[in-house]
Amino acid sequence: QDKAVLEEELNKQVDLSLYSEASVQVYEAARAQAEAVFADEQATQPQIDTAAAQLVAAREALEKKLDKSAQIGRARWAAC
């Protein structure tokens, strides 16, 4: 089994405080699954590849939090 890609993705440092709660929850679920697959000595290569792909997708889908001024500006614009 080749877990190098999965291990590399698990080792990436992501500052989750910068992202929305909903997108962080998706990322954390994908990360937990990836960690379980990484630890599983019986994991198949397709399972490893899928876990890595899902973790990458969840990381790339993280949504930045809007700061308060951006939220106020957006609300004013939407009200027009």
Side-chain angles (χ1 to χ4, degrees), residues 3-54:
K3 295 183 177 181
V5 172
L6 181 56
E7 183 175 21
E8 180 180 323
E9 191 60 33
L10 285 169
N11 286 334
K12 288 188 177 172
Q13 298 297 312
V14 180
D15 184 354
L16 297 179
S17 69
L18 301 175
Y19 301 99
S20 71
E21 185 177 332
S23 65
V24 167
Q25 287 177 352
V26 171
Y27 175 80
E28 288 179 335
R31 184 172 178 85
Q33 178 64 30
E35 288 172 347
V37 170
F38 187 77
D40 184 357
E41 295 293 325
Q42 303 300 318
T44 64
Q45 194 62 51
Q47 289 172 318
I48 294 165
D49 295 344
T50 297
Q54 289 175 338

